[in-house]
Amino acid sequence: LALLLGRARAAVSLARGDAARLPLPDGSCDAVLCDLPFGKQFGSEQENETLYPAVVAEFRRVLRPGSGRAVLLTNQANSNRLLWA
């Protein structure tokens, strides 16, 4: 993060919120980084079956078409849910 901020200090903004309902216009982000819940401390693995597709759809909406990138983190137990989202 420090490297990224050093290169583009004015162009980087960080936000924290509900990943399934981002308060951003369509196609407004170059990148999204999200540490998805594993279903241990928050929610459940079962809830992730609906959460992960909703989050991926929302990221598609806010990322710039053709150039937007997403980094999504999860655990091994949820990796297939993310692949099928």
Side-chain angles (χ1 to χ4, degrees), residues 13-55:
S13 61
L14 303 175
R16 188 175 183 172
D18 184 343
R21 291 185 288 278
L22 297 173
L24 301 167
D26 295 357
S28 63
C29 294
D30 294 314
V32 174
L33 170 63
C34 185
D35 186 1
L36 295 163
F38 299 166
K40 305 292 184 211
Q41 288 181 321
F42 301 101
S44 68
E45 288 182 15
Q46 218 170 9
E47 289 173 341
N48 290 345
E49 290 179 19
T50 57
L51 175 66
Y52 282 25
V55 167

